[in-house]
Amino acid sequence: MLTTRRGLACLAFLVPTAALSGFAVVMARKIVKRGPNDYRQAELTDGGRRIRISLDDYTKAPGDFAVFDPAAGSYTRVGEVTLINEDQKYVERRIDPPGSGPECLGPLVDWTPDVFFEPSAVGGRYEEVDVPTSYGAAPAWLFEGESTDTWVIHIHGSWTDRSIMFRDVRAFSPLGFTSLVPSFRSDPEVSPPQVESSHLGQTEWRDVESAVAYAAAHGARRIILSGWSMGGTMALLTAERSAYRDRIVGIVLVGPVTSWRKTITAGAARAGVPAIGANLVMRLLQAPLFAKMIGLEEPINFDALEWVDIPARVRVPTLVLHSKADQEVPWGLSAEFQRANPGTVTLIPLPEALHTQEWNAAPRTFTNELTSWVKTIFTEPS
């Protein structure tokens, strides 16, 4: 009887442990691998003046967004929510501007916060340039500003692409700076293909450094790094390690990952998994053998990607724009980040928005807060 009880006790321990281990492997892969396209059902309604699309937190969020129709290869911008049907699980939104919609749509579309689609829609003169990197030339967009000695490097996050930063370029445009929007080694447009796994900014920051070097070689005397989500991790690493760090005068972060440990732990908690599950994920990503198995060039060093628990690590004036409704990178992390760096970090809460959709929810507020802060770092005595 005692043996049976011990066996059952061991089994009771092993079953949840095995489940957690399986979860840890799956979650570790999801963190560093590009997921499948998250298509939604959609159709035109109201004579082509509105779209009807599957209801979820993203499609019902207030603000300006767009849908991409993979069959037609075209984008359609949408704005105001006109109807939410909770029973049949769909939402209707007005096409913006009126009359700009396609003749047909769907039935499957991709939802996106990118509302500009192409560089010409952002405004101003631009050109496609090649940024020299360790693996060859990386394509980038260069938006010419009135000021050629102040540049902004716009840094996108994981598993997006550089076009997602058009919103950031538009927000900076009133300042008249030159903008560079580079691609990185994990982007599919890079040729030859480089990596199929995200390194959480740990290696990708070197491509930001290449963009900084390009800016310096073309007349940039002052450089602002603007990073969204994982792009924030890359911006912070670049500001610390760059050979041109004396030219980096400011950092702007939107919904930034300033602690991968805490971000992963929060993600596990949302999934109903205890902290031990998150710890297993991080142990796997730190293990050289597992890292190699999932396509990482090197194990993840979570100490190097930690700014929340290290006081006064940030030496450059930094602005954080973050919504308290962010469901992927908790607002609380930015609050802790600011408290750890009270002398350099300014944190501004923005109207309710999902992850890195602060501009979409309130573009005027976003732009005003950003430009006002940037002006202060150029007027304060050095």
Side-chain angles (χ1 to χ4, degrees):
M1 186 67 175
L2 185 59
T3 303
T4 302
R5 287 178 179 173
R6 284 177 177 171
L8 289 174
C10 289
L11 183 61
F13 172 78
L14 290 173
V15 169
T17 300
L20 280 174
S21 298
F23 165 83
V25 172
V26 171
M27 188 171 179
R29 289 183 178 277
K30 284 187 175 182
I31 289 170
V32 302
K33 292 290 188 182
R34 183 184 295 272
N37 288 324
D38 187 17
Y39 290 128
R40 295 164 172 85
Q41 290 188 323
E43 61 181 328
L44 295 173
T45 63
D46 191 23
R49 290 185 288 270
R50 293 186 291 176
I51 69 162
R52 177 178 294 175
I53 188 168
S54 303
L55 173 65
D56 57 40
D57 288 342
Y58 293 91
T59 58
K60 70 179 182 180
D64 292 332
F65 298 92
V67 293
F68 174 71
D69 186 338
S74 61
Y75 288 88
T76 301
R77 184 167 176 168
V78 299
E80 177 190 5
V81 174
T82 59
L83 174 66
I84 295 178
N85 189 317
E86 296 282 358
D87 293 332
Q88 299 185 38
K89 303 299 181 185
Y90 69 78
V91 58
E92 292 190 356
R93 304 184 73 122
R94 200 179 307 280
I95 290 176
D96 185 32
S100 64
E103 293 184 3
C104 59
L105 183 73
L108 295 177
V109 300
D110 192 17
W111 183 260
T112 175
D114 176 15
V115 298
F116 294 108
F117 320 142
E118 56 186 29
S120 60
V122 179
R125 290 189 294 178
Y126 76 94
E127 62 177 315
E128 183 99 19
V129 299
D130 288 327
V131 173
T133 71
S134 60
Y135 54 81
W141 285 303
L142 176 63
F143 290 84
E144 183 179 338
E146 298 172 7
S147 172
T148 57
D149 63 353
T150 303
W151 286 45
V152 184
I153 311 296
H154 303 267
I155 310 165
H156 68 76
S158 59
W159 309 136
T160 57
D161 57 53
R162 55 189 169 129
S163 66
I164 209 74
M165 298 304 289
F166 288 152
R167 296 167 295 166
D168 201 38
V169 175
R170 174 62 70 87
F172 270 95
S173 61
L175 294 165
F177 301 153
T178 295
S179 281
L180 184 65
V181 189
S183 53
F184 308 121
R185 60 191 64 195
S186 56
D187 292 349
E189 65 182 310
V190 169
S191 181
Q194 293 302 303
V195 295
E196 296 182 355
S197 298
S198 167
H199 290 67
L200 310 186
Q202 181 172 295
T203 60
E204 293 89 346
W205 81 269
R206 297 170 190 146
D207 301 335
V208 181
E209 172 71 344
S210 296
V212 169
Y214 180 94
H218 289 78
R221 295 172 47 242
R222 297 176 297 189
I223 295 171
I224 296 173
L225 303 176
S226 184
W228 293 28
S229 191
M230 191 188 82
T233 307
M234 297 156 69
L236 290 167
L237 286 173
T238 305
E240 291 177 355
R241 301 175 178 180
S242 176
Y244 304 90
R245 56 186 175 274
D246 59 322
R247 304 193 195 196
I248 298 173
V249 297
I251 304 172
V252 174
L253 305 175
V254 179
V257 182
T258 54
S259 169
W260 273 103
R261 283 194 183 98
K262 293 178 183 290
T263 300
I264 291 171
T265 300
R270 286 195 307 273
V273 175
I276 187 175
N279 291 335
L280 283 172
V281 170
M282 289 179 276
R283 286 175 63 183
L284 285 173
L285 293 174
Q286 292 176 104
L289 181 58
F290 182 80
K292 185 176 181 179
M293 286 174 56
I294 60 174
L296 293 176
E297 296 175 343
E298 57 191 51
I300 300 300
N301 179 354
F302 286 97
D303 288 338
L305 307 180
E306 177 62 61
W307 286 266
V308 170
D309 287 342
I310 301 178
R313 181 173 172 180
V314 179
R315 304 296 179 86
V316 178
T318 299
L319 171 68
V320 180
L321 299 172
H322 204 167
S323 164
K324 292 185 177 180
D326 192 327
Q327 83 290 12
E328 293 185 30
V329 180
W331 154 269
L333 294 189
S334 287
E336 291 183 60
F337 174 67
Q338 192 279 327
R339 288 194 293 270
N341 300 276
T344 53
V345 174
T346 300
L347 172 60
I348 297 178
L350 290 184
E352 183 170 313
L354 299 180
H355 185 54
T356 66
Q357 296 181 6
E358 287 85 353
W359 183 94
N360 300 79
R364 182 174 298 178
T365 300
F366 184 102
T367 300
N368 288 344
E369 295 288 2
L370 184 153
T371 54
S372 295
W373 179 84
V374 170
K375 290 175 183 176
T376 66
I377 69 173
F378 288 111
T379 57
E380 291 177 350
S382 56

